[in-house]
Structures are given as structure tokens and as C-alpha cells.
Amino acid sequence: MTTYDYDLFVIGAGSGGVRAARLTALSGRRVAVAEEHRVGGTCVIRGCVPKKFMVMASDFAHSFDIAEGYGWTIDATFDWPKFIETKDVEIARLSGLYVANLGKAGVELVHGRAVLQDAHTVAIAGKGEDGGDRIVTAERILIATGGRPWLPTEIPGIEHAITSEEAFHLPELPKRILIAGGGYIAVEFAGIFAGLGVETTLIYRGPNILRGFDDDVRAHLAAEIDKRGIKVILGCQHAEIRKTEMGLLNVLENGMELETDVVMFATGRAPHVKGLGLETAGVELNDKGAIKVDEFSKTTADNIWAIGDVTDRMNLTPVAIREAVAFHETVYRDNPQAFDYEAVATAVFSQPPVGVVGLTEHEARRACSGEVDVYVTRFRPMKYAFTGSDERMLMKLVVDATSDRVVGVHIVGPEAPEMIQLAAIAVKAGLTKAQWDATCAVHPTMAEELVTLRVKQTSETNAG
């Protein structure tokens, strides 16, 4: 019988890797996890957590404007260095909690880059007693290295651009910024910088932002962020970036030129697989460059699994955590589990924010053979109507006409992410529109519209 140094070796200490390591160690196994950067991964260190802090900081400006309509007189200024310092302290605290929880569970934490030498052997750079690589063996290996921002290196001058990761550490708040991209990261950072008083331009090569979202959501959000002062340029992309004495000159393919202080690219993320030694261990990639796995997160190597963004299935932190739990149940508790990716709620912390769960109208018409009922409402929230603001909210229900099941919920407006978490329970449970209708409304709230929608959308109402 072969003896290994560890029962499980985890590469990557993000949310998924940490959860898998802790659960396995608590079950009495010998577990180690290697992390080349800081413990916490993308979400805690350079993703959703610090980004949410920035969203909340920037949204105060809008709140101050609304407050004036309620009789408040506010004279406020924003201190970027103070905010960055406070944010960094909190991120360090959260990272420390992850480290502490690993220790309490009995997981050995190794700070260093891990590379596979074969299916059971890992080399950790610079961690050997003589300063060389430390070589360890493991019965099973779990890869949870996440993803990294992708840059279009063919654009001349791309070296002058930053990604979302550098945006968290800018030494000073720029006066002008151009953000390239139309996905949730680009839209969120556009709202952040615009809210902090930065002259913000968003450029995207597609016909509208948030590709893959419901068309009504995309159109509504585009109109609303325009009201927040964000300049959106669609159907265009960079031809070149030139450094000048005054800043950075963005030369666009349509001939337009814009000068800004910072250029940020949010044009996608790629699985972090480079240099991991996957080929030496028999781990194959799929046609998108992600680690190929089966429904139980097992790779093409018998003793190696992968979870999270490195597999490019559904790149959300809560999903990575659920994949970690499913991995532990399958491998160490003889309870095979495959995570169900259907009806997973998600949020875009744009300004205003978006919350969605289930199918878009287009997806539903394909899945439900065209028999779909759609309910849409657009209205001014009570808070804004009082001040005369023209900001509007969107709520949309997509219903399978045959079964009456609500198969999609789409919300754009204040507190949309909070509402969608609760709506997701109903969608996941397969509740019908009749059951939604039978639920008594809470008045006066925005959410009550979700249970009072009665008029089906027609082509005429949609045109309006």
C-alpha cells in the first residue's frame, strides 16, 4: 500500500479550496493547502468583497442627492486614501479569519506556488529546507486556482491599461477613466468611479451591455446608468492606447479619440492554469482553456479534482463553495453529489443594481416551446418619486404557460440583490404564478410588485 504525505492536497486557498480543505480535515484526514498569493482568493482579496465596499462608498453620493430632496443639507467630501486604507485593513482581517479557520480545522497552510510533477506529486517553489522546491505527495489533489483578468495583448499600448485587480489599489482617484468591457465587472466599476465623481466612459464592442442577461434588463440598465452620468459607447473598441503628457489617449476603431487618466480593461477572465503542470499529471483542458471535469468535478486524472472558476462552469463564489461541499460528500463520505446549476441567483452590483434568477425570456421561449407568459412593470420607487427623480425600476416575471411555473425573475433597481435571493427560493422550488399571486403583498414596498403583477405583456405593452 502506497503511503502519501497527505490524504488531500489543495492548490488554491480561495473560498472553494478553503471550504474543501476544512471539511476534509475536520473528518480526520491529513490535508494541506498551498496558496501563492493571499488566503481568501479572488472574492475576498481582489473581487466581490472589496468591490462591494467600493460600490457602497460610491453610492453615498447618490444618497446625498436624494437626501436633499427630503430636506437635508449636506456638505460632503470623499477621501480616497482614507477609504483605501480602511478597505485594506478589513480585507486583511477577513484573510486572517480564513487562515485562522484553516488552522483550527487542522489544515496545513503552505504559502507558495504549487506545481504538479505527476498525478500524486507536488512541488512547492522555494519551500524546501535548502531553499529549493519542497516535494510532497498526496493520495488526492484538488485544484482550485480560480481565474485571472484577461487582456487583449494585440492592442498597441495595452501595457498602459489596468485591470480590476489594480483598480483596488490606485494611489489616487483619477479625474477621468475609460473602462473597456460590457460585462458585470465593467458595469460595476463604471458605477463605482462615476459615483465617486470621476468622469467615466464605458466602451463595449457589442450592441448593448450585459450580454447573456435578459434583453429588458440590458436596455433598462443602459438607460439608468446614463442618468448617473456614465457615457456609454457601444459597437466599438480600442485600436490603440498612447501615453501623452496629459494622460492616456484612447484611439478607438471608429476614429474617436478620448483622453483619460486611467484605462481599465474588464474584458473577461481566464482560468488560472498556466504553469500548474497539468499535462504531467494527465489533467486535460477543454476547448475554452478550462480544466475539464465531469459532473462530480473529477478531472481526466483519476485522483485529481477541480472546482471553481478554474473549471469555468458557473463562476460565482457561492457556487465554488457548493462544489467544494459536493466534492467532499462524493469523495470522503461515500455520498455522490453533483451540484445543480439550475436556477442559481446572481447579482450585478451596478448602480442601480441587478438581481436575476432562472431563465431569460429568450431562453424560456426556447425551453418552453414558445408557450411563455411575461409580466413586466416599470415604475418610480416611492423614495425617488417623492423627490421628483426620474429613476425607474424594472421587475419582470417569466412564466411557463403550460405548467404556470415562474421560471425567471429579473429585477433592476434599489435592493434588487436582496430581493432576488428570496425570489430564488420560489423559483428553485418550482412555485407557480398562481402561488405567487396568492401571496399577500407587504405595503408600501418595492417588492410587493412581484406578487401583484397581473397583466401579461403583449407586443404593444412591450413597445411602450
Side-chain angles (χ1 to χ4, degrees):
M1 180 178 177
T2 304
T3 301
Y4 298 101
D5 297 320
Y6 300 99
D7 297 308
L8 175 66
F9 193 93
V10 181
I11 303 177
S15 297
V18 166
R19 180 61 60 90
R22 289 182 62 235
L23 288 175
T24 306
L26 288 170
S27 69
R29 272 77 175 188
R30 297 165 300 159
V31 180
V33 57
E35 173 56 53
E36 61 180 317
H37 296 300
R38 297 173 66 184
V39 175
T42 295
C43 181
V44 173
I45 305 301
R46 52 189 176 272
C48 35
V49 172
K51 181 181 62 184
K52 186 68 178 292
F53 288 142
M54 295 178 79
V55 169
M56 291 188 287
S58 64
D59 195 46
F60 276 106
H62 184 249
S63 298
F64 294 152
D65 289 340
I66 298 299
E68 290 183 0
Y70 281 85
W72 288 89
T73 300
I74 299 174
D75 182 14
T77 58
F78 179 70
D79 189 331
W80 173 261
K82 180 179 180 181
F83 166 75
I84 293 297
E85 180 182 0
T86 305
K87 181 264 297 179
D88 288 346
V89 168
E90 178 61 9
I91 296 305
R93 184 186 74 83
L94 294 174
S95 179
L97 288 177
Y98 272 62
V99 172
N101 287 335
L102 285 171
K104 291 176 183 177
V107 178
E108 179 185 343
L109 174 62
V110 183
H111 289 282
R113 177 170 176 78
V115 178
L116 294 168
Q117 292 197 325
D118 59 42
H120 291 280
T121 308
V122 178
I124 304 141
K127 295 300 176 178
E129 292 183 0
D130 59 355
D133 294 348
R134 176 186 172 188
I135 308 299
V136 300
T137 60
E139 180 182 14
R140 296 183 176 95
I141 296 171
L142 176 67
I143 303 171
T145 49
R148 294 292 186 275
W150 173 84
L151 283 171
T153 54
E154 71 277 6
I155 296 177
I158 192 66
E159 67 273 11
H160 302 305
I162 67 169
T163 69
S164 59
E165 294 188 356
E166 292 79 41
F168 293 120
H169 305 286
L170 289 173
E172 60 184 23
L173 190 65
K175 292 182 172 59
R176 305 162 299 172
I177 189 170
L178 184 144
I179 300 174
Y184 71 95
I185 295 176
V187 171
E188 288 171 338
F189 273 98
I192 287 167
F193 285 110
L196 295 177
V198 179
E199 182 182 310
T200 304
T201 301
L202 182 68
I203 176 175
Y204 179 52
R205 63 182 180 179
N208 206 351
I209 57 175
L210 292 186
R211 181 171 61 90
F213 284 72
D214 188 90
D215 287 340
D216 282 333
V217 169
R218 302 173 71 190
H220 188 88
L221 182 63
E224 292 301 310
I225 66 174
D226 178 72
K227 296 174 185 177
R228 299 285 183 109
I230 299 171
K231 181 179 180 181
V232 180
I233 302 174
L234 299 172
C236 190
Q237 56 188 342
H238 275 87
E240 183 183 0
I241 302 171
R242 298 179 198 157
K243 190 171 181 59
T244 69
E245 292 183 359
M246 301 300 293
L248 297 172
L249 184 66
N250 298 270
V251 182
L252 308 184
E253 288 185 341
N254 63 1
M256 183 183 297
E257 295 185 354
L258 296 171
E259 194 168 64
T260 61
D261 304 304
V262 173
V263 179
M264 174 183 156
F265 270 71
T267 47
R269 295 176 64 84
H272 186 43
V273 297
K274 185 177 180 180
L276 285 179
L278 300 179
E279 63 283 351
T280 66
V283 177
E284 297 178 8
L285 303 180
N286 61 24
D287 56 359
K288 296 182 179 179
I291 293 180
K292 184 190 299 184
V293 293
D294 65 13
E295 61 179 326
F296 299 107
S297 296
K298 191 174 185 178
T299 73
T300 50
D302 283 341
N303 66 299
I304 301 178
W305 285 257
I307 60 173
D309 292 5
V310 75
T311 66
D312 197 28
R313 287 175 287 183
M314 184 175 284
N315 299 338
L316 297 170
T317 296
V319 171
I321 292 172
R322 294 294 293 270
E323 290 171 350
V325 174
F327 158 78
H328 176 73
E329 289 289 325
T330 300
V331 176
Y332 292 105
R333 294 179 62 86
D334 195 25
N335 179 29
Q337 288 189 8
F339 178 68
D340 180 7
Y341 296 92
E342 183 180 356
V344 174
T346 188
V348 181
F349 294 100
S350 48
Q351 298 180 41
V354 175
V356 302
V357 63
L359 304 179
T360 67
E361 180 180 345
H362 178 70
E363 290 170 339
R365 293 198 183 282
R366 288 187 300 174
C368 305
S369 302
E371 297 298 321
V372 173
D373 291 333
V374 177
Y375 300 80
V376 179
T377 180
R378 298 174 179 85
F379 61 94
R380 285 196 301 170
M382 182 179 179
K383 182 177 182 179
Y384 298 151
F386 182 83
T387 65
S389 170
D390 64 348
E391 292 191 45
R392 302 183 71 81
M393 189 154 194
L394 168 75
M395 290 186 176
K396 179 174 183 176
L397 300 182
V398 181
V399 180
D400 181 337
T402 302
S403 66
D404 197 42
R405 285 182 55 224
V406 176
V407 295
V409 181
H410 308 270
I411 307 173
V412 183
E415 308 304 331
E418 304 293 340
M419 289 186 232
I420 208 65
Q421 178 67 86
L422 300 179
I425 299 172
V427 174
K428 191 72 173 178
L431 299 188
T432 65
K433 180 63 166 62
Q435 289 172 308
W436 284 62
D437 293 346
T439 303
C440 188
V442 179
H443 182 75
T445 66
M446 296 174 289
E448 68 180 295
E449 295 286 337
L450 292 171
V451 297
T452 59
L453 282 167
R454 297 292 187 273
V455 180
K456 299 177 185 177
Q457 177 177 273
T458 65
S459 58
E460 288 77 14
T461 57
N462 188 40

